Amino acid sequence: MKQILKCLKLHSAPVEDGIHNQTIKNCSYEFKAIILKLIYLTIKTSKLPSKWKTSVITMIPKKVSNSINPKDYRPIILTSNLAKKAEKLVAFKLKEFLRQNNIIIKQQSGYRNQRQTKDNLLFITQKILEQFNRRKRVLAIFFEIAVAVDKVWQKGLLYKLIKLKIPNYITAWINNFLDSRFF
């Protein structure tokens, strides 16, 4: 929880629950313990408050603020700040499980601490140079998956989590998190 609170964006906007990050950060140790118990209760029971699954979409101008062209805006999704803390805690536990069980390949850079796209670029550059030095051909195929998260087959994702033997409480929490979302 300390790690999560350390990374709080203090000016993050609250939604319907009205709870600001500033409030969470400045509350007493005892109240932070209550928040943590609440989050762990959602993890233990795999039940999330419906307000945590409700998001408000607002459009932010990219450059020109008074444009009528929708392409000049990008959507920002506002969700409960408490829900974000729960998401981060579950993500931390999931990453820890994946790391401990050597499930993530070393070339994976996305969603990993202290890893960047540059790592992959350096790796592929090295492999290309190795093949050129051996006078061999190189073929590379790249996929654009920037919006893949919006198109994830949820049942397939859950199936893969089960096949990887992700702890049941994490899989159940993710299932509830994805189910009956409202924007």
Side-chain angles (χ1 to χ4, degrees):
M1 186 68 162
K2 286 180 185 176
Q3 285 295 101
I4 293 169
L5 292 176
K6 200 162 103 176
C7 301
L8 282 180
K9 293 179 181 174
L10 296 182
H11 301 291
S12 184
V15 287
E16 289 183 40
D17 64 12
I19 300 173
H20 294 264
N21 276 340
Q22 187 83 35
T23 305
I24 297 169
K25 188 161 190 143
N26 293 328
C27 68
S28 68
Y29 174 81
E30 292 79 14
F31 194 71
K32 287 176 186 166
I34 291 170
I35 291 171
L36 189 57
K37 283 182 185 177
L38 172 66
I39 291 171
Y40 272 114
L41 184 62
T42 70
I43 293 170
K44 182 180 175 184
T45 63
S46 303
K47 303 273 189 252
L48 284 79
S50 59
K51 297 278 184 196
W52 286 16
K53 298 185 338 175
T54 301
S55 301
V56 176
I57 301 173
T58 185
M59 301 302 284
I60 304 292
K62 291 179 182 176
K63 292 179 184 174
V64 183
S65 61
N66 58 357
S67 173
I68 59 169
N69 185 347
K71 291 182 179 182
D72 291 336
Y73 293 83
R74 62 186 175 101
I76 299 293
I77 299 175
L78 303 174
T79 57
S80 165
N81 286 316
L82 288 178
K84 289 183 215 174
K85 306 315 161 262
E87 289 174 47
K88 286 186 181 194
L89 190 58
V90 170
F92 174 79
K93 292 196 166 293
L94 178 59
K95 287 177 189 177
E96 195 60 26
F97 177 85
L98 296 172
R99 187 189 60 74
Q100 288 175 353
N101 292 280
N102 295 317
I103 294 174
I104 299 178
I105 61 172
K106 65 182 179 182
Q107 293 85 2
Q108 171 72 34
S109 291
Y111 305 102
R112 293 184 70 189
N113 294 337
Q114 301 170 353
R115 298 295 298 270
Q116 301 176 2
T117 306
K118 293 179 212 174
D119 297 324
N120 295 89
L121 292 172
L122 182 62
F123 176 79
I124 194 165
T125 302
Q126 177 185 347
K127 292 299 175 190
I128 290 170
L129 289 173
E130 285 174 12
Q131 296 309 312
F132 281 167
N133 289 337
R134 293 180 183 149
R135 302 207 185 280
K136 297 202 175 196
R137 295 180 186 176
V138 176
L139 171 67
I141 300 173
F142 299 93
F143 296 96
E144 172 60 59
I145 56 171
V147 293
V149 81
D150 298 334
K151 300 184 188 317
V152 168
W153 177 36
Q154 292 177 5
K155 297 295 181 201
L157 171 65
L158 294 169
Y159 173 79
K160 286 185 177 191
L161 292 173
I162 292 166
K163 289 294 274 184
L164 289 171
K165 297 185 172 124
I166 302 298
N168 291 339
Y169 72 93
I170 293 176
T171 304
W173 192 93
I174 291 171
N175 183 38
N176 188 282
F177 175 79
L178 295 172
D179 187 47
S180 302
R181 297 199 61 85
F182 180 76
F183 297 92

PDB file of all heavy atoms in Angstrom, residues 96 99 118 123 182:
ATOM      1  N   GLU A  96       3.807 -10.178  -9.330  1.00  0.00           N
ATOM      2  CA  GLU A  96       4.659 -10.920  -8.402  1.00  0.00           C
ATOM      3  C   GLU A  96       4.538 -12.421  -8.638  1.00  0.00           C
ATOM      4  O   GLU A  96       5.535 -13.139  -8.673  1.00  0.00           O
ATOM      5  CB  GLU A  96       4.274 -10.564  -6.958  1.00  0.00           C
ATOM      6  CG  GLU A  96       5.264 -10.974  -5.922  1.00  0.00           C
ATOM      7  CD  GLU A  96       6.641 -10.345  -6.100  1.00  0.00           C
ATOM      8  OE1 GLU A  96       6.778  -9.260  -6.688  1.00  0.00           O
ATOM      9  OE2 GLU A  96       7.616 -10.985  -5.649  1.00  0.00           O
ATOM     10  N   ARG A  99       6.319 -13.235 -11.900  1.00  0.00           N
ATOM     11  CA  ARG A  99       7.777 -13.168 -11.723  1.00  0.00           C
ATOM     12  C   ARG A  99       8.286 -14.394 -10.960  1.00  0.00           C
ATOM     13  O   ARG A  99       9.247 -15.040 -11.383  1.00  0.00           O
ATOM     14  CB  ARG A  99       8.161 -11.882 -10.979  1.00  0.00           C
ATOM     15  CG  ARG A  99       9.671 -11.647 -10.905  1.00  0.00           C
ATOM     16  CD  ARG A  99      10.036 -10.499  -9.986  1.00  0.00           C
ATOM     17  NE  ARG A  99       9.609 -10.682  -8.611  1.00  0.00           N
ATOM     18  CZ  ARG A  99      10.183 -11.515  -7.739  1.00  0.00           C
ATOM     19  NH1 ARG A  99      11.190 -12.264  -8.099  1.00  0.00           N
ATOM     20  NH2 ARG A  99       9.729 -11.605  -6.500  1.00  0.00           N
ATOM     21  N   LYS A 118      12.865   0.810 -25.706  1.00  0.00           N
ATOM     22  CA  LYS A 118      14.268   0.858 -26.142  1.00  0.00           C
ATOM     23  C   LYS A 118      14.963  -0.486 -25.946  1.00  0.00           C
ATOM     24  O   LYS A 118      15.841  -0.851 -26.731  1.00  0.00           O
ATOM     25  CB  LYS A 118      15.037   1.927 -25.347  1.00  0.00           C
ATOM     26  CG  LYS A 118      14.605   3.332 -25.610  1.00  0.00           C
ATOM     27  CD  LYS A 118      15.437   4.268 -24.736  1.00  0.00           C
ATOM     28  CE  LYS A 118      14.628   5.474 -24.358  1.00  0.00           C
ATOM     29  NZ  LYS A 118      15.328   6.332 -23.413  1.00  0.00           N
ATOM     30  N   PHE A 123      17.558  -5.018 -28.566  1.00  0.00           N
ATOM     31  CA  PHE A 123      17.597  -6.467 -28.768  1.00  0.00           C
ATOM     32  C   PHE A 123      17.472  -6.818 -30.253  1.00  0.00           C
ATOM     33  O   PHE A 123      18.272  -7.592 -30.788  1.00  0.00           O
ATOM     34  CB  PHE A 123      16.477  -7.132 -27.963  1.00  0.00           C
ATOM     35  CG  PHE A 123      16.369  -8.614 -28.184  1.00  0.00           C
ATOM     36  CD1 PHE A 123      17.238  -9.488 -27.551  1.00  0.00           C
ATOM     37  CD2 PHE A 123      15.400  -9.136 -29.030  1.00  0.00           C
ATOM     38  CE1 PHE A 123      17.143 -10.854 -27.757  1.00  0.00           C
ATOM     39  CE2 PHE A 123      15.297 -10.497 -29.244  1.00  0.00           C
ATOM     40  CZ  PHE A 123      16.165 -11.358 -28.600  1.00  0.00           C
ATOM     41  N   PHE A 182     -19.733   0.000 -16.455  1.00  0.00           N
ATOM     42  CA  PHE A 182     -20.640   1.037 -16.953  1.00  0.00           C
ATOM     43  C   PHE A 182     -19.844   2.299 -17.226  1.00  0.00           C
ATOM     44  O   PHE A 182     -19.052   2.745 -16.390  1.00  0.00           O
ATOM     45  CB  PHE A 182     -21.738   1.301 -15.912  1.00  0.00           C
ATOM     46  CG  PHE A 182     -22.708   2.363 -16.346  1.00  0.00           C
ATOM     47  CD1 PHE A 182     -23.689   2.081 -17.286  1.00  0.00           C
ATOM     48  CD2 PHE A 182     -22.633   3.633 -15.825  1.00  0.00           C
ATOM     49  CE1 PHE A 182     -24.568   3.074 -17.692  1.00  0.00           C
ATOM     50  CE2 PHE A 182     -23.510   4.639 -16.217  1.00  0.00           C
ATOM     51  CZ  PHE A 182     -24.474   4.342 -17.154  1.00  0.00           C
TER      52      PHE A 182
END
